[in-house]
């Protein structure tokens, strides 16, 4: 818990939040509905320098400035996912920077995004949130150069981030090819733990492990993947493993097979899941992907786990089969938290996922 510093009871930041982290995002179905109602967003689609835009629901936009330089532009923010203000800042910043890494880029510049209940929470807590974000950005070699704040009944924090990448080395979620191996670089179950923490059902060890995972930059995973053989990449966040894999499969016009038993899961998560610790975002994810998934008899709790809304999760990489072993070895050398081959890409049934 976070102390206010004024002699009062510790503040439970998660009590000020209707959701937790990326689980408070609008569902994929909600976003489809909204985008279906929106008119023309402008002339961007006609600009040949826009290398990645809205078409495949990718992690960030990429715009070419010159033949050897493109910028990666993204933003992410959310409600408190832990009660410690400094840790919340670290998690939110790590999550925002992850979209740049998922495109193969390097974070360059960030702006803070803040919503804060000026009458409900002391400003020293907000200072700790910003300290956490700044420390993560500093570790990533990214400058924080300002931001924007508003008075809001519910606290929110995140960043808008600009990164750089070579135009010929941009990763997208739309390049997966039949035969590719799917590799995941962090364990799942973060939504379960954050929900349990909000309901006072998580142990200190659960929360500490989740914070460790959520504040680990995907920098080393990007560096390992950059050694070659990557055809597609995305980071696994609010739409869960299956939600983001579905976007990859649809954007690449391929199908996918997931080995449920091979997916790394944080210790203790299955016990929390059995106790009913399921985020609303996870339930929405499950409802959305179910029309595209052949569950193959997978128990309902395991289905929810594969749809669990992650915050600051790992990278999901589609790699050429001949390079899969070298990718796993590179991830091992660079000390990533978890790395596992979790499935493969198939030519049949584009946009659909089968669970084996």
């Amino acid at each position: 818990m976070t102390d206010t510093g004024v002699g009062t009871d510790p503040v439970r930041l998660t009590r000020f939040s209707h959701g937790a982290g990326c689980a408070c995002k609008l569902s994929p179905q909600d976003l489809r509905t909204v985008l279906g109602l929106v008119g023309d967003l402008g002339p961007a689609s006609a600009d040949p320098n826009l290398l990645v835009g809205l078409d495949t629901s990718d992690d960030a936009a990429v715009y070419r400035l010159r033949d050897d330089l493109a910028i990666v532009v993204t933003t992410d923010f959310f409600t408190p996912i832990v009660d410690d203000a400094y840790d919340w800042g670290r998690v939110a910043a790590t999550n925002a920077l992850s979209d740049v890494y998922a495109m193969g880029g390097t974070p360059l510049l960030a702006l803070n995004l803040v919503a804060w209940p000026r009458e409900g929470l002391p400003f020293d807590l907000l200072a700790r949130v910003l300290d956490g974000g700044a420390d993560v950005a500093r570790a990533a070699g990214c400058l924080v150069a300002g931001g924007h704040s508003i008075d809001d009944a519910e606290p929110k924090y995140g960043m808008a981030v600009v990164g750089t990448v070579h135009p010929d080395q941009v990763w997208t979620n739309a390049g997966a090819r039949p035969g590719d191996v799917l590799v995941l670089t962090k364990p799942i179950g973060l939504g379960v733990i954050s929900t349990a923490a909000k309901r006072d059902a998580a142990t200190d060890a659960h929360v500490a492990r989740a914070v460790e995972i959520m504040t680990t930059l995907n920098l080393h995973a990007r560096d390992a993947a950059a050694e070659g053989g990557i055809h597609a990449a995305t980071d696994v966040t609010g739409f869960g493993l299956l939600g983001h894999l579905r976007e990859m499969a649809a954007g690449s016009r391929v199908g996918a097979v997931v080995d449920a038993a091979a997916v790394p899961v944080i210790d203790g998560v299955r016990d929390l899941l059995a106790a009913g610790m399921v985020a609303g975002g996870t339930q929405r994810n499950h409802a959305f992907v179910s029309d595209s998934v052949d569950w193959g008899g997978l128990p309902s709790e395991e289905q929810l786990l594969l749809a669990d809304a992650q915050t600051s999760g790992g990278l999901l990489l589609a790699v050429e089969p001949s390079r899969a072993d070298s990718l796993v070895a590179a991830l091992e050398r660079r000390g990533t938290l978890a790395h596992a081959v979790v499935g493969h890409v198939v030519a049949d049934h584009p946009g659909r996922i089968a669970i084996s």
Side-chain angles (χ1 to χ4, degrees), residues 28-296:
Q29 185 59 54
D30 292 335
L31 290 177
R32 275 190 174 185
T33 299
V34 171
L35 292 176
L37 297 172
V38 172
D40 187 358
L41 291 177
S45 60
D47 191 332
N49 289 313
L50 182 67
L51 304 182
V52 182
L54 286 170
D55 295 344
T56 60
S57 303
D58 220 319
D59 296 295
V62 181
Y63 190 86
R64 179 172 50 210
L65 297 178
R66 49 178 205 251
D67 288 345
D68 64 343
L69 179 65
I71 55 170
V72 183
V73 183
T74 185
T75 186
D76 212 312
F77 62 97
F78 47 71
T79 54
I81 190 167
V82 291
D83 288 313
D84 186 273
Y86 178 76
D87 283 343
W88 174 31
R90 293 167 64 212
V91 171
T94 305
N95 182 73
L97 296 173
S98 180
D99 285 341
V100 176
Y101 293 131
M103 310 302 291
T106 299
L108 176 67
L109 182 70
L111 300 176
N112 287 317
L113 303 174
V114 173
W116 198 257
R118 63 187 307 274
E119 301 296 337
L121 286 172
F123 286 126
D124 62 336
L125 289 186
L126 176 55
R128 291 295 290 156
V129 174
L130 298 179
D131 283 342
D135 283 350
V136 163
R138 188 176 300 112
C142 177
L143 298 174
V144 180
H148 183 67
S149 63
I150 62 169
D151 181 11
D152 192 353
E154 186 176 57
K156 303 172 185 72
Y157 172 67
M159 287 179 165
V161 186
V162 176
T164 59
V165 68
H166 193 287
D168 297 334
Q169 297 170 358
V170 177
W171 301 338
T172 75
N173 66 359
R177 304 175 187 176
D180 280 353
V181 172
L182 297 171
V183 177
L184 182 64
T185 67
K186 284 186 182 181
I188 64 173
L190 295 165
V192 173
I193 292 178
S194 61
T195 300
K198 187 173 174 59
R199 299 177 186 175
D200 294 324
T203 66
D204 290 344
H206 287 141
V207 174
R209 178 59 173 160
V211 169
E212 177 190 14
I213 293 168
M214 292 187 293
T215 57
T216 297
L217 289 165
N218 280 324
L219 167 64
H220 295 312
R222 182 213 60 185
D223 289 346
E227 294 186 15
I230 297 300
H231 292 152
T234 188
D235 65 341
V236 178
T237 54
F239 298 156
L241 173 60
L242 292 187
H244 289 285
L245 176 56
R246 183 188 182 281
E247 290 181 335
M248 180 184 286
S252 304
R253 299 182 180 179
V254 297
V257 177
V258 171
D259 179 357
V263 177
V265 178
I266 303 167
D267 289 345
V269 159
R270 284 189 169 91
D271 291 336
L272 293 174
L273 191 61
M277 301 299 140
V278 181
T282 295
Q283 294 171 333
R284 292 189 291 273
N285 289 344
H286 182 267
F288 177 73
V289 301
S290 286
D291 287 345
S292 303
V293 176
D294 177 0
W295 295 107

